[in-house]
Amino acid sequence: MENVNFLYDLLGKNVISVLLIVSLPLMFVLVYALIAILAELKVSAWIQERLGPMRTGPWGILQPIAEVVKLIQKEDITPDRSSKLLYNLAPFIIFTGAYAAFAVIPFSEYFVPAGINLGLFYIFAVGSISAIGIVMGGWASNNKYSLMGAMRSVAQLISYEIPAAMAVLSIVVLASTMNMQEINKIQSGWFWNWFIFGGPGTLAKLWVIPFTLGLGLIYFISSLAETNRVPFDIPEGESELVAGFHTEYSGMKFAMFFFAEYANMFVVAAVLTTIFLGGWNSPFGDFMQGPFWGVFWFVSKAFTVVLVQIWIRWTLPRFRVDQLMYIGWKVLLPLSFICFMAVSLYVMLK
Amino acid sequence: MIQYIKNIWAGLSSTFIGMRITWKHLFVKKVTIQYPDERFKLPEKARNRLYLEMSRCNGCNSCAIACPVNCITVETIRVSPDDPHQEVHYNGKDRKLWVSRYDIDFAKCCYCGLCTAVCPSEAIQHTTEYEYSVYNRESLLYKFQTLTPEQVKEKERLLAEFRAIEKVCHPEGDAKPAEKKVVDKKTE
């Protein structure tokens, strides 16, 4: 089925519309990253009963802009003994990996940059690019902390990719499609049609709801690990590894790492929103449903997930490496298999 | 197996408890004081920068003696009776000593308040002023004397003249105690 894209309808399929489609998510990511940085600063401050930045602009809302300007001004250091090409390439590869996933994220009924049928598969494929970037940056820096951070990061990504993939696969089984736009369309209607509540169906779906809720939780936990955020931030554990794989980076290259982290956060939040929380669908049936409201619902749902990620960051301490592996292989993986079996059984019986 | 499930439950539930606590703290009144805009109310007996009220100071030097870090330096000149410039203290008595130098080095001061405790006339007092950071240590040397250097020289000259006259008129007057001391030392 052909996906509708409002820009193609408006401008026809030409170079300008393609360029616009490619750059629209970038505009969004730029604005979103600034807001997310501010949210991070403010939420951390409020949780610690501080006020946070207050002097840049009213209530400090211009603080992220000041920080970006500061990072641009800073000296761009390349270590003498580093592998120059790989070292300089790594931040851009990481950001490419983060940004590539935006290609299949459906912002609205009428806007998805590339409505391919293997959307979810594609997200997992490009998600691994950032792992390559992390190894590249860590190894090329020629610094023991960077290398250790990179190795930890890869161990973590590989461990948590599997439960996340199992959670996503279960939803693919439920929806019987990998096209993210199709998955959204299936979930339209009231919020009990969302896949976190078992998807659309009769009352017989009641027994599968605990499993889909568990899958949502498993995907959320693994997505925290995939974005290297607290409590899974051992790749950049400040107290052990200085700053992990980006110890040697400064200035604009560090900003790219920073930016990629926030873009990655949004990607996993968007995937969670799409496959579990109904994507651009309004939670209240036809109320506020439509292409423009779709953008609103999608962005607000995804941003709520990002806020929960930030909230968790300022609640939990960091896991130890052995705890991390225990949770990944001994808890999340078996549980995701159990949930996968249950969901498959439900689909067979339906 | 039961322990395994218990562990998972403990991990999950403690996470939610922690998140509930941080959620509550989001809405608690913040403790930050936006310093230059708003300030602490200082305690009633806060000890900050010292101030010397020169009209009350009688030059007794007890503050300098009491100071544990020697940050106060006092030098005095006796008031010559011939001086046309005479001052009256806060209690109505005549000034006996001109304070020619009264320095407080706030780089040394430890704000213990002993000088204010010993001062007989409450001339030296703590103020509420605490924002006086400077770029070099010399700027922290506060000079409280009210006499100009020229005035100090004038007072010294007047006192020397008075002493000279006194020696001529009463040879056994001022000079006697000094002689006595010398004699005592010799006898010992």
Side-chain angles (χ1 to χ4, degrees):
Chain A
M1 187 185 152
E2 188 64 31
N3 279 291
V4 196
N5 200 322
F6 78 98
L7 278 169
Y8 286 145
D9 291 348
L10 278 176
L11 302 169
K13 226 170 187 169
N14 53 33
V15 183
I16 298 168
S17 64
V18 169
L19 275 178
L20 267 177
I21 284 169
V22 169
S23 54
L24 256 182
L26 187 65
M27 301 294 152
F28 171 75
V29 174
L30 284 171
V31 176
Y32 148 79
L34 292 179
I35 296 172
I37 292 168
L38 183 68
E40 182 96 58
L41 293 169
K42 280 293 187 184
V43 169
S44 70
W46 289 338
I47 281 177
Q48 293 161 3
E49 295 184 18
R50 297 181 284 116
L51 288 170
M54 288 291 283
R55 305 203 74 83
T56 8
W59 283 86
I61 53 169
L62 298 179
Q63 185 64 31
I65 295 168
E67 293 198 356
V68 169
V69 170
K70 177 200 79 177
L71 278 175
I72 290 170
Q73 287 173 334
K74 278 197 168 182
E75 188 187 354
D76 190 11
I77 299 166
T78 308
D80 206 26
R81 291 291 210 47
S82 67
S83 169
K84 301 277 185 304
L85 178 68
L86 295 182
Y87 180 85
N88 290 326
L89 211 57
F92 301 99
I93 284 187
I94 289 182
F95 184 69
T96 309
Y99 187 60
F102 277 86
V104 292
I105 288 176
F107 281 91
S108 161
E109 205 172 343
Y110 293 121
F111 183 71
V112 51
I116 53 174
N117 282 328
L118 284 170
L120 283 170
F121 181 75
Y122 170 83
I123 279 191
F124 272 87
V126 297
S128 307
I129 292 178
S130 58
I132 297 173
I134 287 172
V135 178
M136 236 184 202
W139 205 336
S141 305
N142 198 7
N143 175 323
K144 61 187 170 194
Y145 295 121
S146 302
L147 185 57
M148 279 168 80
M151 289 194 302
R152 284 179 176 197
S153 177
V154 173
Q156 180 176 313
L157 278 171
I158 289 171
S159 312
Y160 282 79
E161 198 101 290
I162 302 164
M166 288 311 296
V168 171
L169 265 184
S170 313
I171 300 306
V172 171
V173 168
L174 259 179
S176 38
T177 174
M178 275 189 161
N179 188 329
M180 295 178 86
Q181 199 69 296
E182 293 298 312
I183 291 175
N184 273 350
K185 277 176 192 157
I186 291 169
Q187 295 178 82
S188 61
W190 286 75
F191 60 86
W192 54 73
N193 281 349
W194 295 355
F195 278 130
I196 199 162
F197 300 118
T202 52
L203 275 181
K205 75 168 187 177
L206 273 179
W207 68 270
V208 86
I209 288 177
F211 294 104
T212 45
L213 277 174
L215 282 170
L217 203 60
I218 287 168
Y219 183 76
F220 182 70
I221 294 170
S222 339
S223 72
L224 282 180
E226 277 180 61
T227 47
N228 295 333
R229 284 192 59 89
V230 176
F232 300 100
D233 73 330
I234 59 162
E236 43 190 289
E238 299 91 348
S239 44
E240 308 150 28
L241 293 181
V242 190
F245 59 87
H246 56 61
T247 305
E248 296 287 353
Y249 285 90
S250 65
M252 209 46 217
K253 285 181 207 142
F254 174 74
M256 289 297 276
F257 275 118
F258 207 61
F259 202 47
E261 187 192 323
Y262 281 92
N264 248 330
M265 272 166 75
F266 188 81
V267 168
V268 293
V271 173
L272 188 76
T273 307
T274 311
I275 64 175
F276 286 107
L277 301 178
W280 37 257
N281 282 303
S282 158
F284 313 111
D286 283 338
F287 176 66
M288 291 167 87
Q289 178 79 305
F292 287 106
W293 283 115
V295 177
F296 165 76
W297 284 118
F298 181 81
V299 171
S300 52
K301 280 173 190 173
F303 203 75
T304 312
V305 177
V306 169
L307 281 179
V308 174
Q309 290 177 341
I310 293 172
W311 177 13
I312 284 183
R313 172 169 179 185
W314 299 103
T315 302
L316 294 178
R318 184 183 306 132
F319 283 125
R320 251 182 2 237
V321 183
D322 61 316
Q323 289 169 334
L324 181 98
M325 289 297 146
Y326 177 85
I327 293 168
W329 292 104
K330 286 186 168 177
V331 179
L332 291 184
L333 191 61
L335 286 184
S336 63
F337 275 130
I338 292 169
C339 293
F340 179 66
M341 295 288 185
V343 169
S344 309
L345 189 67
Y346 166 74
V347 173
M348 276 169 72
L349 294 175
K350 195 160 70 170
Chain B
M1 189 65 201
I2 290 167
Q3 194 55 46
Y4 173 79
I5 292 165
K6 269 186 184 166
N7 283 346
I8 292 173
W9 176 247
L12 266 181
S13 58
S14 60
T15 303
F16 284 117
I17 290 168
M19 284 173 80
R20 205 175 66 211
I21 291 169
T22 42
W23 179 259
K24 275 184 199 156
H25 278 268
L26 271 176
F27 305 105
V28 167
K29 193 180 178 295
K30 309 299 175 232
V31 294
T32 309
I33 290 173
Q34 294 244 279
Y35 161 58
D37 303 335
E38 41 181 319
R39 286 151 202 270
F40 263 124
K41 197 182 172 298
L42 282 174
E44 207 174 308
K45 292 190 174 173
R47 300 200 298 259
N48 292 297
R49 190 168 70 185
L50 292 161
Y51 177 71
L52 179 90
E53 180 60 50
M54 188 45 92
S55 67
R56 283 174 163 259
C57 179
N58 54 16
C60 68
N61 203 28
S62 37
C63 45
I65 294 163
C67 182
V69 290
N70 294 334
C71 71
I72 304 178
T73 315
V74 186
E75 280 174 13
T76 49
I77 306 167
R78 272 192 62 185
V79 175
S80 153
D82 300 340
D83 199 340
H85 176 203
Q86 295 285 348
E87 258 186 20
V88 181
H89 268 306
Y90 70 103
N91 54 5
K93 287 180 180 166
D94 285 343
R95 183 181 269 290
K96 296 277 171 55
L97 290 166
W98 288 114
V99 183
S100 61
R101 183 176 165 207
Y102 196 104
D103 295 345
I104 300 180
D105 190 352
F106 285 104
K108 289 183 191 165
C109 180
C110 65
Y111 306 94
C112 60
L114 290 179
C115 46
T116 63
V118 297
C119 185
S121 53
E122 293 183 345
I124 188 162
Q125 291 287 336
H126 284 291
T127 59
T128 52
E129 184 59 45
Y130 51 87
E131 293 155 310
Y132 50 98
S133 305
V134 288
Y135 285 100
N136 52 351
R137 268 185 236 163
E138 289 72 38
S139 311
L140 282 171
L141 186 72
Y142 281 58
K143 295 175 163 59
F144 287 100
Q145 61 265 33
T146 47
L147 298 179
T148 58
E150 292 79 38
Q151 275 180 312
V152 171
K153 267 186 192 152
E154 174 72 9
K155 308 287 182 208
E156 275 170 353
R157 190 182 60 79
L158 281 169
L159 182 67
E161 272 177 18
F162 172 70
R163 285 244 167 96
I165 293 163
E166 211 173 36
K167 232 175 198 174
V168 173
C169 298
H170 314 281
E172 72 280 2
D174 264 18
K176 236 183 184 177
E179 269 178 17
K180 234 183 190 176
K181 262 183 191 168
V182 174
V183 172
D184 283 351
K185 266 186 184 170
K186 271 179 185 171
T187 49
E188 272 171 22

